[in-house]
Amino acid sequence: MNAILGPTGSGKSSLLDVLAGRKDPSGLKGDLLIDGGPLPDNFKCMVGYVVQDDVVMGTLTVRENFHFSAALRLPSEVTKAERDARVDQVIFELGLGNCADTKVGNEFIRGVSGGERKRCNIGMELIIQPPVLFLDEPTTGLDASTANAVMLLLQKLAHKGRTIIFSIHQPRYTIYRTFDSITLLSGGETIYFGPSSDALEYFETIGYSCEAHNNPPDFFLDVINGDSTAIAATETHEPGKYSLICAIKQLSQVSLRIIKNLARSPQASIMQFIIMGIFAVIVGAVYFQINTSKDTGIQNRVGAFFFIVMNQVFGNLSAVELFIKERAIFIHENVSGFYRVSAYFTAKIICDVLPMRLIPVTIFCVIAYFMIGLQEGATHFFFFLLNLFLTTLAASSFAFFVSASVKIFAVANLLIALCYVFMMLFSGLLVNFSSIGDWLSWIRYLSIFRYSLNALYINELKDQIYCNRNGTVVDCIDGNSYLITQNIPFGTPWDLWVNELALGIISIGLFFIGYIQLRRLKKLR
């Protein structure tokens, strides 16, 4: 049991990160050895690291979180029965038997207690039986009794042959007694390093005596003019080995967890479906069975399409939290070797982005298309559905890219909204491109609105006639004339499908850049 103590800003967390191999090596000097030799290449993945904040999925049970860790971090030659046994062993050692099948909990779901939650975080690392376990202030947020219980659990792990290294802030005496050695820091300098039992004697030799009944950690921090807190831990396991899990397996496990998370925290999803259905009814009611008169037929269709596309684009502002919300979990799990960035990214796209965009769009199209009374025929309807889905996908891919690049939700939200407004301005409806100089009009090629609206116009207006009838007098205009006035090519099938291709390219391109941003994300402190 090796404790790192010191006042705030003394370098406790930095030292812990360096020892755990999670500190950016730029500017660092010195050698980090294990058993007198250099660190293995997979050192960061073979040791356990329990961060201060919770990094477990709240919608999963304790047992399911452990199974997730076991499935991705244990060697591939470990059988399912052995993984199950490992999970049961960790649950038993951590004393989590009574809450093993209880959801950990989040802002919507009532879950386990604070101490059980902390032990769950520790158990996620113990699954791989790490020879060394690092913990960053594991008693933070726990009451004194729970913190003491966690520290006793860590002591039990140490007695079974595992090295426990942790930073801690102001531990009480019962916790201090569990330490085998301590490192006292101040301003990045080592004040004392050695057995905890010799610390008081050392301070006496340099002129500082601890009063009777004074807590030694409080005394040490008083001497170095600091403050401190306690840290806790859990259970034990035999040291084991780490090996990479194949990408397919990683993809399946991450996908399964995403599906469980969506199913067990469906409030946002259900609300999105309901809102989309309500909006479809409203649009359908406003433009109900739209007529084919010369005066209003084209105008109302153009207005309906613009309103629909605007809703589909701005409705994806919610996608900005897709990565921001899980940033801490992703960084911890990725750097701990749970999965590759590619596995996480692909699972998010397949199990989160696609269904959460396709299902609401389908609900909207089925309601709105027929209420508005757009062109009959399955070909026109399914093209309408495809176009709105690609529009939604392009908008959400941009939101995903921003969420992977910006960690502050308010900033990301503002940035996305601003870009959407510019795309809307260069859609071709609000301003004619011929009136804009070439130095600026090129922005239209980046507009999701432009491609989506052009495709909807062609799908609905091409070769259609809109007439006013006054007795025997018939005054007509064809949809082709409107397309010509808007400089929208429509003579060949390619003129229609090039817009869908553009939306697809935008989606793929932005998703790819978002993936690059995830890979570039600084995961070392």
Side-chain angles (χ1 to χ4, degrees):
M1 290 277 285
N2 304 274
I4 303 173
L5 293 87
T8 301
S10 61
K12 299 189 299 297
S13 295
S14 295
L15 176 58
L16 192 71
D17 290 338
V18 170
L19 295 177
R22 298 199 175 200
K23 189 74 172 177
D24 188 341
S26 303
L28 296 180
K29 296 180 181 179
D31 298 314
L32 186 60
L33 308 177
I34 183 169
D35 289 336
L39 303 181
D41 293 336
N42 63 340
F43 174 73
K44 289 185 296 183
C45 297
M46 63 179 287
V47 300
Y49 190 103
V50 180
V51 295
Q52 183 174 348
D53 299 323
D54 289 328
V55 287
V56 290
M57 192 65 70
T59 53
L60 301 186
T61 66
V62 173
R63 188 186 305 276
E64 287 171 338
N65 273 296
F66 288 175
H67 275 295
F68 178 77
S69 179
L72 292 177
R73 305 182 73 188
L74 293 179
S76 55
E77 58 268 18
V78 176
T79 65
K80 182 180 184 304
E82 291 173 331
R83 290 199 304 270
D84 293 344
R86 182 74 60 83
V87 169
D88 291 338
Q89 180 186 359
V90 171
I91 289 174
F92 174 76
E93 290 178 338
L94 297 180
L96 294 173
N98 292 333
C99 64
D101 297 306
T102 301
K103 294 182 180 67
V104 175
N106 57 21
E107 63 269 26
F108 299 112
I109 302 173
R110 182 180 178 89
V112 299
S113 67
E116 291 167 339
R117 194 182 193 93
K118 181 64 67 175
R119 281 180 279 164
C120 184
N121 279 268
I122 297 173
M124 293 288 285
E125 305 302 317
L126 293 183
I127 288 292
I128 63 172
Q129 298 180 333
V132 181
L133 181 63
F134 296 95
L135 304 101
D136 186 12
E137 302 203 15
T139 56
T140 297
L142 302 179
D143 59 64
S145 177
T146 303
N148 187 59
V150 171
M151 293 309 301
L152 291 176
L153 179 57
L154 288 179
Q155 185 181 44
K156 180 181 176 183
L157 292 173
H159 288 167
K160 292 185 178 181
R162 181 173 284 109
T163 298
I164 310 293
I165 303 175
F166 52 90
S167 62
I168 194 166
H169 185 67
Q170 201 172 351
R172 66 179 188 177
Y173 181 65
T174 55
I175 291 178
Y176 175 76
R177 289 189 305 176
T178 65
F179 303 165
D180 295 309
S181 67
I182 60 173
T183 301
L184 294 176
L185 300 178
S186 178
E189 300 291 338
T190 303
I191 303 301
Y192 173 81
F193 170 70
S196 58
S197 57
D198 297 343
L200 288 175
E201 181 180 348
Y202 167 78
F203 273 85
E204 287 183 0
T205 62
I206 58 175
Y208 298 97
S209 298
C210 181
E211 298 178 353
H213 309 297
N214 191 6
N215 182 23
D218 292 338
F219 163 71
F220 298 146
L221 295 181
D222 286 342
V223 171
I224 59 180
N225 193 26
D227 187 27
S228 99
T229 303
I231 180 169
T234 83
E235 242 321 335
T236 154
H237 263 312
E238 295 301 318
K241 297 181 179 179
Y242 172 88
S243 68
L244 288 175
I245 304 298
C246 67
I248 299 301
K249 188 170 183 180
Q250 292 179 359
L251 177 61
S252 65
Q253 291 296 324
V254 177
S255 298
L256 180 61
R257 185 176 70 170
I258 291 174
I259 293 172
K260 287 182 178 179
N261 185 46
L262 288 173
R264 295 177 181 180
S265 185
Q267 293 88 343
S269 303
I270 293 176
M271 185 58 64
Q272 185 175 0
F273 297 161
I274 294 175
I275 291 176
M276 191 61 72
I278 293 175
F279 177 74
V281 172
I282 294 174
V283 173
V286 171
Y287 296 97
F288 185 73
Q289 295 302 304
I290 194 169
N291 63 48
T292 58
S293 70
K294 177 183 177 181
D295 294 335
T296 61
I298 293 179
Q299 178 186 2
N300 286 348
R301 282 170 171 79
V302 170
F305 291 153
F306 182 79
F307 191 43
I308 290 170
V309 171
M310 182 177 66
N311 173 74
Q312 297 300 328
V313 173
F314 280 90
N316 285 279
L317 283 172
S318 60
V320 71
E321 68 174 4
L322 186 67
F323 180 70
I324 292 179
K325 189 175 182 180
E326 296 182 9
R327 180 179 290 258
I329 293 178
F330 164 73
I331 292 176
H332 171 70
E333 292 178 345
N334 179 244
V335 79
S336 297
F338 276 62
Y339 43 70
R340 298 179 178 90
V341 176
S342 58
Y344 175 84
F345 176 83
T346 305
K348 268 294 181 186
I349 298 300
I350 295 176
C351 299
D352 194 334
V353 176
L354 291 180
M356 291 306 298
R357 309 307 150 194
L358 179 58
I359 296 175
V361 167
T362 302
I363 293 173
F364 175 85
C365 290
V366 169
I367 298 174
Y369 192 89
F370 298 103
M371 286 189 68
I372 296 174
L374 299 175
Q375 276 212 54
E376 296 180 358
T379 301
H380 290 286
F381 169 76
F382 284 109
F383 183 86
F384 181 84
L385 172 59
L386 173 64
N387 182 79
L388 291 192
F389 173 65
L390 289 176
T391 301
T392 302
L393 194 62
S396 61
S397 67
F398 182 72
F400 185 87
F401 157 66
V402 173
S403 70
S405 307
V406 180
K407 62 181 180 180
I408 301 176
F409 179 79
V411 174
N413 216 24
L414 180 62
L415 179 60
I416 294 175
L418 184 62
C419 291
Y420 284 167
V421 169
F422 271 98
M423 290 182 185
M424 181 171 62
L425 180 62
F426 287 88
S427 65
L429 179 66
L430 301 181
V431 62
N432 195 292
F433 295 135
S434 61
S435 63
I436 305 177
D438 293 338
W439 66 276
L440 189 60
S441 62
W442 61 268
I443 298 178
R444 69 181 185 270
Y445 296 110
L446 303 178
S447 174
I448 297 173
F449 282 84
R450 172 177 174 263
Y451 295 114
S452 181
L453 287 174
N454 284 0
L456 292 177
Y457 293 160
I458 298 173
N459 183 55
E460 179 65 22
L461 302 180
K462 181 182 177 182
D463 299 332
Q464 297 299 301
I465 304 297
Y466 303 91
C467 300
N468 287 338
R469 289 177 174 83
N470 186 8
T472 59
V473 179
V474 179
D475 184 17
C476 299
I477 185 176
D478 64 334
N480 294 356
S481 299
Y482 178 82
L483 297 176
I484 292 172
T485 60
Q486 295 297 315
N487 297 316
I488 300 174
F490 61 91
T492 66
W494 169 251
D495 294 326
L496 176 65
W497 287 98
V498 68
N499 296 291
E500 306 307 282
L501 179 62
L503 291 173
I505 291 174
I506 290 175
S507 301
I508 295 174
L510 288 173
F511 277 132
F512 178 75
I513 298 174
Y515 167 72
I516 297 300
Q517 288 297 93
L518 291 186
R519 291 193 61 88
R520 292 181 64 249
L521 191 66
K522 186 175 181 180
K523 302 179 181 69
L524 299 178
R525 291 183 244 181

